[in-house]
């Protein structure tokens, strides 16, 4: 079993997915923790959860998934991609307005990670990878 897990994590896309699940869990748990103390602070709760999950996700994806060094350049690109993904999720949800919420959420959680993975691979970390020996 350990060999299977090691082989799975040798795949970049598996590391990317695992990182995303952990970042989502961080966002969720922190947002709930803030709401436990300030039930009306929904925006603050999500801001705190998103911010810490974003930092975690950026660092782990940069160092572990894409095996690069953190830099201002790839941090800004990462931010642009993640913010664009958020906007795209809102757009997709509104375009799928006639569908059930389950369908809208399913489309977002399946499509967006695939799109952001490709963009990160081809753009966010493209300069760093071209300079690798």
């Amino acid at each position: 079993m350990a060999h299977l897990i090691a082989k799975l994590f040798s795949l970049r896309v598996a590391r990317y997915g695992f990182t995303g699940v952990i970042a989502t869990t961080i966002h969720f748990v922190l947002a709930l923790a803030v709401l436990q103390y300030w039930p009306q602070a929904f925006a603050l709760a999500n801001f705190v959860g998103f911010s810490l999950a974003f930092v975690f996700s950026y660092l782990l994806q940069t160092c572990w998934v894409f095996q690069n060094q953190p830099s201002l350049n790839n941090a800004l690109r990462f931010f642009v991609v993640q913010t664009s993904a958020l906007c795209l999720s809102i757009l997709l949800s509104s375009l799928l307005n006639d569908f059930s919420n389950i369908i809208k959420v399913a489309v977002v959680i399946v499509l967006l990670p695939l799109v952001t993975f490709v963009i990160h691979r081809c753009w966010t970390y493209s300069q760093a990878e071209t300079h690798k020996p």
Side-chain angles (χ1 to χ4, degrees):
M1 182 68 163
H3 177 68
L4 180 62
I5 292 171
K7 188 166 177 94
L8 181 64
F9 281 132
S10 72
L11 300 173
R12 184 178 302 205
V13 71
R15 294 189 310 257
Y16 183 82
F18 183 72
T19 301
V21 168
I22 294 173
T24 300
T25 302
I26 289 170
H27 181 151
F28 182 73
V29 168
L30 289 173
L32 287 180
V34 170
L35 289 171
Q36 181 69 32
Y37 293 100
W38 298 290
Q40 303 304 317
F42 187 76
L44 174 66
N46 274 300
F47 178 77
V48 168
F50 172 83
S51 297
L52 292 174
F54 176 85
V55 170
F56 168 84
S57 183
Y58 168 70
L59 291 173
L60 201 59
Q61 288 191 36
T62 299
C63 297
W64 186 48
V65 175
F66 294 100
Q67 299 175 343
N68 283 287
Q69 295 296 315
S71 71
L72 182 58
N73 185 45
N74 63 27
L76 291 173
R77 287 177 179 220
F78 190 87
F79 180 77
V80 167
V81 172
Q82 296 306 109
T83 303
S84 298
L86 174 62
C87 294
L88 182 58
S89 72
I90 293 167
L91 176 65
L92 281 173
S93 294
S94 67
L95 291 175
L96 300 172
N97 200 32
D98 294 337
F99 292 88
S100 72
N101 287 339
I102 292 172
I103 298 295
K104 291 190 280 189
V105 170
V107 167
V108 167
I109 65 172
V110 169
L111 186 60
L112 285 185
L114 295 173
V115 170
T116 56
F117 176 80
V118 170
I119 295 170
H120 285 317
R121 178 79 173 97
C122 296
W123 183 63
T124 304
Y125 300 104
S126 64
Q127 290 180 336
E129 289 189 6
T130 59
H131 293 100
K132 280 187 171 181

